[in-house]
């Protein structure tokens, strides 16, 4: 089968949401620019794409567009200053990412939903399969999550969604799938064929405990499906509803990926990710661990 299936070369990063859960920090800046330790969320997502072999990046921007564009652009002034001060390591860190990617931007003028944001990338993506990454879902894994999804895509040649088991009482925050396991690479508990999808169901209506996480491999016919999709939950054009449309014409698969996912678009999730990522850093981990040990955790709130 491999060989006939078109290669995924592009990744779309929707970054035009309002980020209301993180106000006021996100009033003038997209939440995708919030830093985990010292790198903005979107950079973690872009590095995941690069490590999965994808270098063509499309970013869908809304407010705070300039912060994202400047971040991935060359900063002559800053580079000159770092060079003249002999800070070669910092200079390399600043340069590395803009050297590695080819990035294009498209604007979503109004936050009309994730499906609408993806649709804005139609002309830049064209008739090719592509990845979509919601960079407020930060995934720490041995093999990059996108790479894991690509392996399934390269076998089936259809859309593949990242899935995670979620406790019932939290399921209403997610898109949820009804799905049947399929045998893949000798395993029968990681890859699923999706029967139905529903956006943010009530716990009693959820078809399973398998939630969709912000990583997708999509075929270009998803654009036509989204064009045929009207506003759904919250008056927004939902990607989940678009995929439901697509299901009429072709199969969609899901992968229970290996790794830990942090919801960094949520305050508590963001704090957890910050602690975990800081503890893992060679330059900070030891001191930070020592500091955490000294924190009086049973102190009553002020
Ligand atoms: P979220 O569901 O997290 O919504 O979007 P949000 O508006 O960004 O944040 P909250 O819930 O108000 O705090 C998931 C992803 O889809 C993008 C967001 O930027 C985020 O990456 N998105 C969402 C858009 O690009 N446009 C939209 O209209 C909606």
């Amino acid at each position: 089968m491999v060989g006939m299936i078109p290669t995924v070369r592009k990744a779309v990063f929707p970054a035009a949401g309002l980020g209301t859960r993180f106000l006021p920090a996100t009033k003038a800046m997209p939440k995708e620019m919030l830093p985990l330790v010292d790198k903005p969320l979107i950079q973690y997502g872009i590095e995941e794409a690069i490590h999965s072999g994808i270098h063509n990046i499309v970013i869908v921007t809304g407010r705070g567009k300039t912060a994202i564009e400047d971040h991935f652009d060359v900063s002559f002034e800053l580079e000159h200053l770092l060079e003249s001060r002999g800070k070669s390591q910092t200079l390399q860190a600043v340069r590395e990412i803009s050297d590695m990617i080819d990035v294009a931007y498209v604007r979503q003028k109004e936050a009309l939903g994730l499906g609408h944001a993806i649709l804005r990338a139609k002309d830049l993506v064209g008739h090719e399969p592509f990845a979509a990454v919601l960079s407020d879902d930060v995934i720490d894994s041995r093999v990059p999550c996108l790479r894991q999804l690509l392996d399934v895509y390269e076998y089936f040649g259809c859309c593949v969604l990242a899935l995670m088991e979620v406790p019932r009482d939290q399921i209403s925050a997610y898109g949820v799938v009804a799905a049947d396991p399929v045998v893949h690479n000798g395993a029968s508990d990681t890859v699923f064929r999706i029967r139905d999808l529903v956006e943010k169901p009530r716990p009693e209506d959820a078809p399973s405990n398998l939630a969709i996480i912000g990583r997708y491999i999509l075929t270009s016919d998803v654009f036509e499906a989204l064009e045929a999709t009207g506003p759904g939950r919250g008056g927004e054009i939902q990607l989940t509803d678009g995929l439901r449309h697509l299901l009429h014409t072709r199969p969609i698969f899901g992968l229970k990926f290996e790794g830990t996912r942090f919801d960094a678009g949520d305050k508590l999730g963001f704090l957890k990710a910050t602690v975990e990522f800081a503890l893992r850093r060679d330059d900070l981990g030891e001191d930070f661990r020592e500091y955490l040990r000294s924190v009086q955790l049973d102190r009553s709130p002020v």
Side-chain angles (χ1 to χ4, degrees):
M1 223 190 263
V2 180
M4 286 153 54
I5 295 173
T7 309
V8 175
R9 302 182 308 138
K10 299 177 180 173
V12 175
F13 287 73
L18 296 178
T20 53
R21 282 170 296 162
F22 239 112
L23 283 168
T26 46
K27 187 179 170 202
M29 174 184 88
K31 69 174 163 190
E32 288 75 10
M33 285 303 290
L34 290 170
L36 273 188
V37 188
D38 55 5
K39 262 192 297 193
L41 295 178
I42 193 164
Q43 187 167 341
Y44 287 91
I46 287 183
E47 288 177 356
E48 184 184 321
I50 293 169
H51 294 140
S52 304
I54 301 176
H55 297 261
N56 286 310
I57 306 296
V58 176
I59 303 179
V60 185
T61 61
R63 300 144 311 115
K65 168 190 157 87
T66 48
I68 297 184
E69 284 193 356
D70 290 348
H71 184 75
F72 294 111
D73 207 352
V74 176
S75 171
F76 290 110
E77 216 177 46
L78 179 65
E79 291 191 8
H80 180 73
L81 189 92
L82 292 172
E83 207 159 11
S84 68
R85 292 192 181 163
K87 306 224 168 191
S88 54
Q89 251 184 327
T90 317
L91 178 64
Q92 201 194 340
V94 164
R95 251 186 208 157
E96 222 163 42
I97 189 79
S98 49
D99 283 353
M100 278 174 142
I101 55 170
D102 178 14
V103 58
Y105 297 91
V106 62
R107 185 92 163 166
Q108 185 192 23
K109 286 190 200 134
E110 253 187 290
L112 297 176
L114 174 59
H116 182 262
I118 298 273
L119 202 44
R120 298 293 298 129
K122 182 181 175 188
D123 289 347
L124 286 171
V125 169
H127 298 283
E128 318 187 7
F130 63 102
V133 178
L134 310 190
S135 35
D136 49 344
D137 275 333
V138 177
I139 297 172
D140 180 43
S141 56
R142 203 172 38 82
V143 177
C145 182
L146 271 189
R147 187 60 253 169
Q148 296 179 44
L149 296 183
L150 284 168
D151 287 344
V152 179
Y153 163 79
E154 283 161 9
Y155 186 82
F156 292 105
C158 297
C159 293
V160 186
L161 320 180
L163 300 177
M164 186 177 94
E165 283 181 32
V166 164
R168 278 271 160 182
D169 61 338
Q170 292 165 29
I171 203 86
S172 305
Y174 298 87
V176 182
V177 298
D180 302 314
V182 293
V183 178
H184 183 62
N185 283 346
S188 61
D189 55 354
T190 52
V191 177
F192 294 80
R193 179 150 175 190
I194 291 171
R195 264 185 290 119
D196 200 4
L197 315 87
V198 42
E199 183 63 20
K200 300 192 171 71
R202 290 184 303 184
E204 58 271 31
D205 299 333
S208 74
N209 65 345
L210 284 174
I212 306 169
I213 301 304
R215 299 288 186 280
Y216 308 79
I217 306 298
L218 301 170
T219 48
S220 62
D221 44 4
V222 78
F223 294 124
E224 283 76 54
L226 283 168
E227 276 162 348
T229 303
R233 246 194 111 88
E236 296 188 341
I237 297 180
Q238 301 287 356
L239 178 58
T240 309
D241 295 340
L243 290 170
R244 197 164 195 225
H245 249 276
L246 193 61
L247 211 47
H248 297 311
T249 51
R250 52 150 86 223
I252 298 180
F253 292 86
L255 171 71
K256 229 164 55 171
F257 60 93
E258 171 277 316
T260 309
R261 170 260 186 182
F262 298 94
D263 179 6
D266 166 79
K267 277 176 258 199
L268 185 59
F270 180 84
L271 290 170
K272 288 179 186 171
T274 300
V275 171
E276 295 288 344
F277 280 69
L279 283 173
R280 254 169 257 171
R281 286 274 294 249
D282 289 340
D283 55 342
L284 287 169
E286 211 174 308
D287 290 347
F288 188 50
R289 186 168 281 107
E290 201 177 311
Y291 164 72
L292 288 180
R293 283 206 187 98
S294 77
V295 175
Q296 286 181 327
L297 291 175
D298 52 0
R299 194 166 41 192
S300 54
V302 270

